[in-house]
Amino acid sequence: MNTNTETMAAKGSVTARILGMAAFLALVFVAVPMFIAATGRSDFYYTLTSVALLAIGAAGVWLTFYIGRINIGQGAYALMGGYVSAILITQAGVSFWLTLPLAGIFCAVISVLIGLPILRLRGVYFAMVTLVLTEVARLTALALPITNGAKGITSIPLPGELSVLGITLIPDFSTLQNPRQAFYMVAVALMVLVYLVLWRIVNTRLGHLCRSLQQNEELSASIGVNTTWLRILAYAISSFFGGVAGAMFVSISQSIYPSSFVVQDSVNFVLYCFLGGLGYVFGPMLGTLLLYFGWDLLSVFKQYQLLIYSGSMIALMLILPNGILSLLDKKEGGK
Amino acid sequence: MEQILANGLYLGAQYALIALGLTLIFSLMNVLNFAHGQMYVFSGFVCYTVVVQLGLPFIVGLVVAAVVLAVMGGLIEKFLFRPVIRRSKRDESTMLLAAGIAFFLDALILLLFGEKQRGIPKVVNGVFNWDFRLIMPYDRILICVLAIAIIVSFILFMQYSKAGRAMRALAQDRMAAQLMGVDVDRYSMIGFAMGAMLAGLVGALLVSITGVNLGMGGPTSIKAFLMIMIGGAGVISGAIIGGFILGMMESVGLSVLSSYGDVTYLLIFASLMIFLAIRPQGLMGKPWG
Amino acid sequence: MEARAAWLNELGGVQIGDTTYDIQIVAFDDQKDPKRAIAGMERMAQEGVHYVVGPNVDDGAAAVRPVAEQQGIMYFPYSFPKELFSPPASNAILGMVANYQSGPAIYAYLKENKGVQKVAFVAANESDPLSQRDSGVEAAKALGLEVVSDKVTYQVDTTDFSPVLLPVLQSRPDLLVLSGVSPANAPQLIRSARELGYEGLISTETGQDASVLAEGAGELANGFISVGGASTPELASDTMREFVDRYTKMFGEYNDESNTKVYALEYIIETLKANPAALTDVEEYKKTIDTFEAPNPFMVGDAKLRYVGRSSFGQKRQVSVPLVVTEYKDGAFETLFVAEVD
Amino acid sequence: MTRMLDFDNVELYYDHVYALKGVSIHLDEGETVALIGANGAGKSSILRAITGLRKIKSGSISYLGDRLDGTSAADIVRRGIAMVPEGRRVFPLMSVKDNLLMGAFTRTDKLDIEQTLESILTRFPRLRERFNQQASTLSGGEQQMMVIGRALMAKPKLLLLDEPSLGIAPKLVQDIARAIVAISRDEGVSVLLVEQNSRMALSISNRAYALSTGQIVLSGNSRELLDDPRVKAAYLGGEV
C-alpha cells in the first residue's frame, strides 16, 4: 500500500493503473507474507487482517460520502453481519463461506428499509441518526433472545472447507498449520475485491451520478436523476460491505458480543476515510492502515500511547485538513 | 408519579445544560463537537481536584472548572478549529479534528487524573421526603435549581446582551452578521469558549452527585447529540426542550418498562429514528440545519 | 504487578531451574475492545510470552481463547464464565474468587447472622454483571431465600440511578445485591438507594475501592458488604505490607485489582520454579498444576499457594486466594469473615 | 463635491474565474449611483469587494481618500459604509427590534442609537407595528424595509443596496424606490445601488454604470441612459 501505487492509480493512465494494481497485489500477497516470514512477526497477520477487514467497512462509509452523506452507522451493519453469520453457523449449521454473502445481503436488505426514510436527511442530521443507529443495533443485540443478549455467542467453529464441484478451493481452517495466514489471505482478497468494485463504481455512469449528487442534489434531481434510488443503492452497497467485514471478523475471533462493534468503531470508520482523504478511492484503505496499525505500533509508548496517537491525529489534521491523499492534489495543482 | 416527574425534571435540567453548549458551538461554527463529553469529564476532574485535593469550597471548584474549560474552549477554537475550517474543503473535516480532540482529552485525563472514579462530598446533606410519594435529596434539588438558574441566565445573556445578539446573528446568517461589523473570528471564539464552559459547568455540578470517571465522555456526547436532534440542531430552545424531553423519557421509561429488562434506551433510540424520519429538523429546528 | 516484578529483580531476579531470570512484564492496552484483545494476545505470542495476566472482561477473555490455545499461552482472565475454565478449555486460570463462589458464602452468612429473607438483584446490562446476577440468583434460591426482584438492569453509563432503583426497592428486599457492580457505579447505586429511603443491607460479590466509596457516597456507604482483597490487616504478611508500600511509591494509590494480579504473578513464578520445563511449554505447566504447592508469602500463618476450582470447573483452574468478606465503615473496609474456596 | 469612493481598475475572481476585469467606478458625496446589468455581470462583486467580503486581486478601493481594501469588514462598517445585501438576509429568528439593533453593532453610544432607532421607526411606521415580531413573519416588502432600516442604524455615509427590488411585489417596488430617494435626500447619504430593474434604478439615480461579464460597458447620466437602446443590449450580455 505505498503511495506510488496510488499515485499511479489516481493519474489514471491504463498501463500505469495495471502496473500499480499488479504491484499492489504483489505487495499484499507476496511481499507482506515474505516480510512476516523473514522477521517472524506473525502477530502482524492478525493486525493486517483487521486492517483489511476494517478497510472493507471503511470502503462502504466512503461510498456514502460519495453521495454526500456522513455515515457514522457502519458499526451497526458490521455487528448485524457478524450476528447473522454467527447465528447461521451455530444454530443452522450453515457453512461460514455461505454466511459471508448472506450476512452482506441481510445487511443490504435492512439498510434499504432503514435507508428509505433516513437517507432524506442531510449533513449532521444524517450523521447523528446513523450514530444512533449503531446504538440501536447494540441495544437490539442486548435485548433479543436469538443473539443471547449480553452474553454473546461464543465458541463459533473456524471456517470449514469451501469446495466447488468437489474441488477444494479453501481448505478447512481447523486443519491448517497457520490459520492466521489463511485469514490474512482471505481478508486481503476480499479487500482487493471490494476496492475493485468500488473503483468500478466510481468510474462508471453510476459514479458520475453519485458525484453530481454530492455536489447538488436539487440540480441532479431536476435533470432527471432518480436520486432516491441512487442513494438507496449506494447505501445498500455500503452496508453490504459492512456486513461482510463484520461476518469475517466473527470467524476470526470465534465469538461475538453486542460490544463487538460499538459507536467507537462507527466513528473510527469515518475517521479512516477522512484521514486517508475523501477524494480518492484508496483513501479509506490508507487511512485504516495508518490509524489502526499506527495505534499498534505506538503501544511501545505505554501510557503515552493515546496521547501521541491523538496528538498526531490532530497535527495531521492541521497540516493536511483534506486527508493524506490531498498531497496528490497539490502536486497536480503545481504543474 | 410525582417521583418519576421529579426525576425527569432533575435529569432534564442537567441534560439541557449539556445540550446548550453543544448546540451553541454547532450553530456558530457548524462543528459537531465530538469532544463535548470529554470536556464535561475534564471539568468534573478539575472541580474534584480543587475541592478534594486542595480542600477549597465547592463554589470555588465550580468557578475554577468553568474558567478552565472556557479558556480551553477558546484555545481549541483559535488554534485548532479555525485553521482547519479555513483550509479544508468540507465542513465535515472538523469531525475528524473533534474526534482527535476527544481522544486527546481522554489521554490527558488519564495522565492527569488517572482512571479511577472520583467524586466530591455531598454539598448539602439530607433528603426531602414528602410522604414517600416524592423523595429527593437536597443536594439534587440544589443542583437542579443551579442548573436551571444557569440555563435562564444563559438565555437572558443571549437575548439581551450585545454579545449574545451578535452570536445569534452569526448563527442565523453569517454573511449578514459580518456586514453588521460582527468580527466572526472573535465571536466564534467566544461562542466556543462559552459552549465549553457550559459543558464544564455541568461536569462540575454533577461531580458532587454522580462523580466522574474516564469512560463517561463518549456516552455523554451521544446523549447530547440525541437531545439536539430531538429539539433541532443549532437552536437554543430546541436544545433545552430536547434535554427535558430526554430526561423525562428516561425517567418514565426506566420506571414503566423496568419489568421488561433494559429496553428503555432501545425504545428511545428507535422512536427518535422514526421521529427524525418524519421531522428531520427536530422540533424547533430549521430544515437542514 | 510491575511493582512486584521490579522488587524481585531488585532482589537479584528469580531462580528457575539453574538459571536466574529477571522478570519483564510486557504490557498491552486492549481498551476493553475484544478485537484489540486478540491483537494483544497475538503480540504476546509474537514476543514469546507464555503467561498472560488478563484480559479483564468477559468478551475479551472469550475472544482471546482461540489464540491462547493455538499459541500455547496460559492466561489469567478476570472474568467468570465457567466454560473458560472447564474442560475442554484448559489454558485459562481464574485469578480470583468468582462470584458464584463468594455469593453463596455471603448470602449464607447474612441469612444466619442478619436474618435476611428477601433478596433483590440489580445488574448492569453487560456480559459480566449479568452472568454474575444469574448465578447469584441461583445461589440465593438454593439457600432458600426469596428473590423479590431480579429483572432490573441498567446501562453502565447511567448518571442517575434513582429511576433504575425505584422499582427494585418497591419490592422491599432485606438485601440488595449489586451484581458485578463496577467501582464507578457502586457509590452511585448505594447513594441512590439510601436516598430513596432504603434501609436494608447492600452487598456485592466483587472487590471495591474504599476511597471511591468514600468520595462518591460518604457515610451512606457504611455497612456495604463486598469482597475484599487478600491484604486485610489480619491476613497480610510483612511481604504484603512491603509490597503495598512499594506499589504506592510507584503508582500513588493502592487498590484491590492490582492485589489479585500480584497473586497471579506469584503463582506463575512459583509454578515455573516447581517445573522449569514449563518456561517454554505450557503443557508442562498444566501437568504441574494438580500437585503444585508452595508457601504463600503474602499471608500470615502457613497459608499455601495452590490451585483450586475442582468443584466449580471439574479441574484445577483457579488460584487459591482467601475469600475475605468485608464491610465498609467510614472510609475503610473491616473484615466480616474469611473463607476459602476449594 | 468631494470624491467619496474610488474603485480603481479592480480585478477580482472566484476560484480562477474572473468576476471583475479592471473595473473603475467612482461616487461623489451626496450622489446616488446605479450599477445595472444582467445576472452575473459582476455588479454584486463590486459591492462585496467594497465591504471586504471578497478580497480583490489587483487595483485599489479608496474611501474618502483612504485605502479600503485590506481592512476588515467590521472596520469598514465603522468607517461609515453599510450594505443591504441581496436577498435581504434578515436574521429570521430575531425580532425586528434585535435585527435593527444589530445594524448598530459597531456603535457604542446608547442614547445616540436610541435616536437613530426612533428616526427609522418614524420613517418606516410598519416596523414600529411589528417591532417585537420575529423577522421571519414579515412580508417580503416589510423585510426589505427592515434591512434598509438595519443598514441605516449604522449611521452610514455610504449606503450599498444590492437588488432591493428582487422578489418584491411590483406595487411595493415603488415604495422602496421612494424610500431610497428620501433617505439620500434627508440624511445626506450617498447611495450605490445595484439593480436588475434598470428602469427603477435609472429613475432614482444621478449616474449609472452598465456592466457586462465583469466589465463596464456603458456609463453616464441616468436620465439619458433611460432612453438609450444600448442599455437593453447590456442585459443580453453582448458587445455594446
Side-chain angles (χ1 to χ4, degrees), chain B residues 3 7 10-11 14 48 116-120 122 127 135 137 139-140 208-211 213 219 254 258 262, chain C residues 125 151-155 157 159-160 162-164 166-167 184 188 191-192 195-196 209 211-212 215 253 255:
Chain B
Q3 184 71 52
N7 282 341
Y10 159 75
L11 276 174
Q14 66 193 51
Y48 163 82
K116 266 191 173 183
Q117 166 86 14
R118 295 291 187 195
I120 65 174
K122 279 171 91 82
V127 176
I135 300 168
D139 60 341
R140 285 194 182 209
S208 74
I209 295 191
T210 57
N213 64 62
L254 287 173
S258 64
D262 196 10
Chain C
N125 198 358
K151 288 279 178 292
V152 173
T153 57
Y154 56 88
Q155 297 284 312
D157 51 56
T159 47
D160 180 13
S162 301
V164 176
L166 205 56
Q188 304 314 316
R191 191 165 158 175
S192 289
E195 286 173 346
L196 285 170
D209 187 310
S211 66
V212 170
E215 282 172 12
E253 227 174 322
N255 64 41

Side-chain angles (χ1 to χ4, degrees), chain D residues 61-80:
Chain D
I61 307 170
S62 6
Y63 168 75
L64 296 173
D66 297 322
R67 282 291 282 263
L68 205 58
D69 46 304
T71 45
S72 73
D75 199 39
I76 290 169
V77 179
R78 231 170 270 129
R79 283 156 74 171

Side-chain angles (χ1 to χ4, degrees), chain B residues 194-206:
Chain B
M194 276 184 65
M197 188 183 76
L198 285 173
L201 280 170
V202 201
L205 282 178
L206 288 183

Side-chain angles (χ1 to χ4, degrees), chain B residues 64-163:
Chain B
V64 170
V67 170
V68 168
L69 264 287
V71 171
M72 179 198 271
L75 294 178
I76 286 177
E77 196 281 329
K78 186 166 171 36
F79 292 107
L80 300 177
F81 279 102
R82 194 181 302 172
V84 170
I85 290 174
R86 188 159 297 156
R87 293 178 47 218
S88 74
K89 288 183 197 151
R90 299 175 177 79
D91 278 355
E92 296 90 12
S93 302
T94 57
M95 272 188 179
L96 174 62
L97 181 62
I101 293 171
F103 289 147
F104 191 80
L105 285 180
D106 264 340
L108 215 55
I109 292 167
L110 186 65
L111 289 175
L112 292 177
F113 306 108
E115 56 184 335
K116 266 191 173 183
Q117 166 86 14
R118 295 291 187 195
I120 65 174
K122 279 171 91 82
V123 182
V124 281
N125 279 310
V127 176
F128 173 79
N129 189 336
W130 176 39
D131 199 21
F132 283 98
R133 290 170 72 188
L134 177 59
I135 300 168
M136 194 54 113
Y138 285 122
D139 60 341
R140 285 194 182 209
I141 299 174
L142 176 72
I143 298 303
C144 186
V145 168
L146 279 176
I148 291 174
I150 295 171
I151 293 173
V152 170
S153 33
F154 177 77
I155 294 173
L156 292 177
F157 174 78
M158 290 304 279
Q159 205 62 36
Y160 296 109
S161 76
K162 196 170 168 182

Side-chain angles (χ1 to χ4, degrees), chain A:
Chain A
M1 264 173 269
N2 60 31
T3 359
N4 280 334
T5 324
E6 270 133 10
T7 318
M8 283 189 260
K11 292 212 178 122
S13 100
V14 179
T15 38
R17 216 182 284 156
I18 292 170
L19 278 175
M21 190 67 209
F24 179 74
L25 290 177
L27 179 74
V28 294
F29 286 115
V30 183
V32 169
M34 275 170 60
F35 172 80
I36 287 174
T39 56
R41 287 300 299 263
S42 66
D43 62 317
F44 280 165
Y45 270 132
Y46 176 77
T47 311
L48 289 174
T49 307
S50 302
V51 169
L53 294 180
L54 293 173
I56 293 173
V61 176
W62 189 87
L63 187 61
T64 37
F65 271 121
Y66 214 61
I67 56 164
R69 293 289 186 278
I70 311 160
N71 179 0
I72 324 185
Q74 191 69 320
Y77 292 104
L79 190 66
M80 228 181 271
Y83 268 110
V84 168
S85 172
I87 290 168
L88 286 176
I89 293 172
T90 53
Q91 300 194 5
V94 181
S95 154
F96 165 74
W97 302 108
L98 191 57
T99 68
L100 202 56
L102 284 179
I105 291 166
F106 180 86
C107 288
V109 171
I110 295 283
S111 76
V112 170
L113 296 179
I114 294 175
L116 273 173
I118 71 166
L119 278 167
R120 292 170 36 231
L121 307 179
R122 290 183 211 183
V124 286
Y125 289 94
F126 183 82
M128 288 194 286
V129 168
T130 49
L131 188 82
V132 168
L133 183 65
T134 318
E135 274 297 279
V136 170
R138 183 178 73 88
L139 293 169
T140 310
L142 273 175
L144 284 183
I146 195 166
T147 54
N148 203 20
K151 289 170 192 164
I153 299 173
T154 53
S155 306
I156 300 165
L158 284 170
E161 185 181 291
L162 176 68
S163 57
V164 175
L165 305 170
I167 306 159
T168 306
L169 293 178
I170 303 172
D172 188 337
F173 273 43
S174 53
T175 63
L176 284 179
Q177 188 72 39
N178 190 351
R180 272 176 307 288
Q181 189 178 0
F183 272 124
Y184 170 78
M185 289 297 184
V186 172
V188 170
L190 271 178
M191 179 181 78
V192 169
L193 208 61
V194 161
Y195 277 85
L196 274 181
V197 169
L198 195 62
W199 186 74
R200 275 302 295 164
I201 291 174
V202 171
N203 288 293
T204 52
R205 202 180 109 77
L206 186 64
H208 296 304
L209 290 179
C210 287
R211 258 196 305 281
S212 74
L213 211 56
Q214 186 187 19
Q215 265 139 27
N216 191 332
E217 282 191 25
E218 283 77 22
L219 194 66
S220 348
S222 69
I223 57 169
V225 177
N226 186 342
T227 51
T228 313
W229 181 81
L230 200 58
R231 284 197 300 250
I232 294 281
L233 182 69
Y235 190 55
I237 296 173
S238 154
S239 308
F240 182 89
F241 290 165
V244 168
M248 193 72 207
F249 245 120
V250 166
S251 76
I252 296 172
S253 59
Q254 296 182 259
S255 61
I256 183 162
Y257 290 89
S259 57
S260 291
F261 287 95
V262 290
V263 169
Q264 191 59 58
D265 295 284
S266 282
V267 174
N268 282 342
F269 281 126
V270 178
L271 298 187
Y272 299 150
C273 292
F274 274 130
L275 193 85
L278 295 177
Y280 292 85
V281 175
F282 297 100
M285 204 196 282
L286 181 68
T288 314
L289 180 75
L290 280 175
L291 279 180
Y292 194 89
F293 204 45
W295 169 261
D296 270 17
L297 294 180
L298 288 177
S299 67
V300 293
F301 294 104
K302 299 207 172 139
Q303 70 263 42
Y304 299 106
Q305 186 179 14
L306 185 60
L307 196 71
I308 294 172
Y309 175 78
S310 54
S312 33
M313 217 164 107
I314 294 171
L316 208 60
M317 207 55 212
L318 285 173
I319 304 164
L320 297 168
N322 297 310
I324 293 175
L325 289 182
S326 66
L327 276 176
L328 305 179
D329 295 343
K330 285 196 185 138
K331 263 187 229 158
E332 279 163 11
K335 274 173 199 169

Side-chain angles (χ1 to χ4, degrees), chain C residues 87-125:
Chain C
S90 65
N91 288 48
I93 294 173
L94 182 54
M96 61 201 287
V97 179
N99 68 301
Y100 35 76
Q101 296 162 333
S102 58
I106 295 176
Y107 307 148
Y109 175 85
L110 293 178
K111 188 183 170 192
E112 257 166 54
N113 296 298
K114 309 257 166 140
V116 166
Q117 293 292 327
K118 294 191 280 185
V119 193
F121 290 84
V122 58
N125 198 358

Side-chain angles (χ1 to χ4, degrees), chain B:
Chain B
M1 196 60 212
E2 292 88 352
Q3 184 71 52
I4 296 174
L5 288 179
N7 282 341
L9 193 68
Y10 159 75
L11 276 174
Q14 66 193 51
Y15 283 176
L17 209 46
I18 301 177
L20 267 185
L22 189 68
T23 218
L24 178 66
I25 293 173
F26 176 72
S27 68
L28 286 180
M29 317 183 56
N30 212 13
V31 164
L32 198 54
N33 186 16
F34 274 91
H36 209 66
Q38 275 75 10
M39 290 179 171
Y40 157 97
V41 173
F42 194 91
S43 163
F45 277 110
V46 170
C47 184
Y48 163 82
T49 309
V50 170
V51 175
V52 174
Q53 313 256 304
L54 304 179
L56 296 168
F58 175 63
I59 185 74
V60 178
L62 195 63
V63 172
V64 170
V67 170
V68 168
L69 264 287
V71 171
M72 179 198 271
L75 294 178
I76 286 177
E77 196 281 329
K78 186 166 171 36
F79 292 107
L80 300 177
F81 279 102
R82 194 181 302 172
V84 170
I85 290 174
R86 188 159 297 156
R87 293 178 47 218
S88 74
K89 288 183 197 151
R90 299 175 177 79
D91 278 355
E92 296 90 12
S93 302
T94 57
M95 272 188 179
L96 174 62
L97 181 62
I101 293 171
F103 289 147
F104 191 80
L105 285 180
D106 264 340
L108 215 55
I109 292 167
L110 186 65
L111 289 175
L112 292 177
F113 306 108
E115 56 184 335
K116 266 191 173 183
Q117 166 86 14
R118 295 291 187 195
I120 65 174
K122 279 171 91 82
V123 182
V124 281
N125 279 310
V127 176
F128 173 79
N129 189 336
W130 176 39
D131 199 21
F132 283 98
R133 290 170 72 188
L134 177 59
I135 300 168
M136 194 54 113
Y138 285 122
D139 60 341
R140 285 194 182 209
I141 299 174
L142 176 72
I143 298 303
C144 186
V145 168
L146 279 176
I148 291 174
I150 295 171
I151 293 173
V152 170
S153 33
F154 177 77
I155 294 173
L156 292 177
F157 174 78
M158 290 304 279
Q159 205 62 36
Y160 296 109
S161 76
K162 196 170 168 182
R165 225 174 8 242
M167 279 190 269
R168 279 190 294 146
L170 207 54
Q172 288 171 33
D173 193 321
R174 205 177 176 80
M175 192 262 243
Q178 245 173 311
L179 285 176
M180 302 298 112
V182 175
D183 183 340
V184 176
D185 285 349
R186 178 151 173 253
Y187 281 94
S188 296
M189 188 165 138
I190 293 176
F192 208 106
M194 276 184 65
M197 188 183 76
L198 285 173
L201 280 170
V202 201
L205 282 178
L206 288 183
V207 73
S208 74
I209 295 191
T210 57
V212 277
N213 64 62
L214 186 58
M216 282 165 81
T220 306
S221 294
I222 294 178
K223 273 190 186 169
F225 292 160
L226 271 186
M227 295 174 244
I228 69 169
M229 271 193 286
I230 295 173
V235 189
I236 290 167
S237 54
I240 296 170
I241 291 175
F244 279 100
I245 289 181
L246 186 69
M248 276 302 163
M249 291 209 292
E250 202 175 310
S251 173
V252 173
L254 287 173
S255 308
V256 178
L257 301 171
S258 64
S259 52
Y260 301 100
D262 196 10
V263 292
T264 304
Y265 258 88
L266 181 57
L267 283 180
I268 291 179
F269 282 131
S271 46
L272 180 76
M273 286 190 65
I274 296 167
F275 168 70
L276 283 179
I278 300 164
R279 197 176 161 81
Q281 70 271 37
L283 284 174
M284 316 293 287
K286 310 163 270 182
W288 319 126

